[in-house]
Amino acid sequence: MSATITATTGGPFARIYGFGSYRPTRVVPNSELVDRIDSSDEWIQERSGIVERRWARDDETVVDMALAAAERALADANITGEDIGAIIVSTVSHLLITPSVSSIVAGRIGSRGAALDISAACAGFSYGINMADALVRAGSAKYVLVIGAEKLSDFTDLDDRGTAFLFADGAGAAVVGPSDIPGIGPAVWGSDGTQAEVITSTPRRPRRTDPVLEHGDTRPLLTMQGQTVFRWAVAEMAKAAAEAVAAAGIKPEDLDCFIPHQANNRITDAMIKYLGLPENVTVARDITHMGNTSAASIPLAMDALRAEGRLPTGGLALLIGFGAGLVWSAQVVRIPG
Ligand code: UT7
């Protein structure tokens, strides 16, 4: 027999140690967008729940926002960058093919850990938490930094009625590390590439009125078949959420908090109904002030609840992300603190 190789094992389980987020300072109310898409503040609020969103400054990048969220998560977890053995950044809006956001952030926080970006759109944070859980338990890294960071305003068509009011910017991060008891439940995750075209991106067509394009802007624009995605989310994602609760070995009434991807308050309402969530479960509705920030929306929403004093620390939260791919991911986590 040939020689055996040594394999690592890590902590028996993993948990979230701390988290943090970054909100750009520029607030964009519905009134700023409605004229170009022949819409109204009332329509946007009624159909999506959005009152306002945040857009990053022109000179503010996905890296800047990811770093700000990461520094806050590290401070919250009481962990230094040197302790981080792997960094996973989920983003679909980084402007460069290389270097990755994760490697730049690693350098800035003083980590020499493995660094990779993943593209799992609005499911990306939940994907990242699942991957971090696996890395910690396998002993591949002791502490993993998971970041969702997006500057979707760079890719939003302000003349598209279906998306102009929806997408926004921000970042959120969490530190995952070893634990004696499970702090991250099994992920119910997957993809349906047969529906890849329902949220996609298309090359920009130069518009005379757009001064940026005259200088050769090649960023594509996001397009979405809103109703198709809406119906899919209500029908299929509610089921995935219920499966994640069952996989964690708990019942919906055992949850303290529900933090879904902030895509549409009506989708959130449909999931609450399907799950039969009791009234006392705290529900994140950060979309009202943040719009849809894709991979950043779940950690941003978690941090918003904490800032409002409404986060049930030490309790159980159901996370679910879903979006372009189509991809999805849900799991129950124990909220740190
Ligand atoms: O993050 C990834 C996952 N994304 C999602 O989960 C998003 C899922 N989709 C949605 O949230 C919804 O589809 C939207 C909020 C984007 C749109 O809401 P909707 O209820 O699906 O609108 P709709 O496209 O079915 O349009 C309804 C009506 C139409 O008029 P008629 O045919 O009923 O007379 C549209 O022409 O509203 C009209 N409409 C608008 N009116 C004012 C469409 N867009 C607008 C608009 N302002 N911006």
Side-chain angles (χ1 to χ4, degrees):
M1 187 178 147
S2 64
T4 54
I5 55 172
T6 303
T8 57
T9 51
F13 303 105
R15 66 180 173 91
I16 297 175
Y17 277 62
F19 59 95
S21 69
Y22 174 77
R23 283 158 204 266
T25 53
R26 183 175 166 209
V27 177
V28 180
N30 289 340
S31 56
E32 223 178 280
L33 305 173
V34 292
D35 288 350
R36 275 176 82 159
I37 51 172
D38 186 22
S39 187
S40 65
D41 181 33
E42 297 73 38
W43 190 94
I44 295 171
Q45 288 201 37
E46 194 191 304
R47 295 290 175 133
S48 69
I50 300 170
V51 172
E52 60 194 16
R53 74 283 294 137
R54 302 278 180 116
W55 284 355
R57 296 186 314 269
D58 285 349
D59 65 345
E60 205 167 28
T61 65
V62 169
V63 171
D64 297 332
M65 293 189 283
L67 180 63
E71 284 170 341
R72 288 169 190 178
L74 288 171
D76 188 48
N78 208 11
I79 298 271
T80 67
E82 280 177 25
D83 297 325
I84 296 294
I87 301 183
I88 300 169
V89 175
S90 180
T91 185
V92 290
S93 47
H94 180 41
L95 291 176
L96 303 177
I97 295 170
T98 192
S100 63
V101 179
S102 49
S103 59
I104 301 171
V105 170
R108 301 241 178 106
I109 63 170
S111 166
R112 290 178 59 83
L116 71 155
D117 290 5
I118 60 169
S119 176
C122 310
F125 183 76
S126 181
Y127 262 60
I129 292 292
N130 191 36
M131 293 165 71
D133 176 54
L135 290 174
V136 168
R137 284 160 52 199
S140 302
K142 186 169 182 191
Y143 296 104
V144 181
L145 180 59
V146 178
I147 305 172
E150 304 285 6
K151 191 178 178 186
L152 297 177
S153 61
D154 270 345
F155 298 89
T156 302
D157 183 351
L158 296 181
D159 294 312
D160 177 17
R161 295 182 98 198
T163 56
F165 62 91
L166 208 55
F167 297 128
D169 307 338
V175 175
V176 173
S179 173
D180 292 334
I181 54 165
I184 297 171
V188 171
W189 61 344
S191 65
D192 179 3
T194 65
Q195 297 200 70
E197 78 290 350
V198 303
I199 307 175
T200 182
S201 53
T202 54
R204 264 166 216 252
R205 274 183 211 91
R207 259 178 262 112
R208 271 167 211 260
T209 51
D210 194 332
V212 182
L213 288 173
E214 283 164 21
H215 293 93
D217 188 345
T218 55
R219 291 167 296 171
L221 292 169
L222 291 162
T223 61
M224 179 175 74
Q225 296 171 27
Q227 268 193 18
T228 307
V229 180
F230 186 94
R231 282 196 295 263
W232 167 77
V234 167
E236 302 298 326
M237 293 303 97
K239 279 189 223 156
E243 281 171 32
V245 172
I250 62 165
K251 298 199 158 28
E253 54 268 31
D254 297 323
L255 289 168
D256 300 290
C257 192
F258 178 40
I259 312 178
H261 167 47
Q262 302 292 294
N264 189 316
N265 267 342
R266 290 186 294 139
I267 295 174
T268 301
D269 291 340
M271 288 182 176
I272 291 170
K273 201 169 158 199
Y274 184 90
L275 290 164
L277 283 190
E279 294 267 319
N280 63 332
V281 175
T282 304
V283 176
R285 296 199 186 264
D286 197 33
I287 192 170
T288 310
H289 300 294
M290 286 302 287
N292 179 340
T293 55
S294 193
S297 88
I298 291 175
L300 273 164
M302 196 187 287
D303 213 9
L305 288 176
R306 179 166 62 182
E308 292 161 14
R310 296 205 299 129
L311 189 69
T313 48
L316 296 176
L318 170 62
L319 316 181
I320 179 164
F322 50 89
L326 294 171
V327 291
W328 63 89
S329 177
Q331 72 266 93
V332 175
V333 299
R334 193 164 292 282
I335 299 164

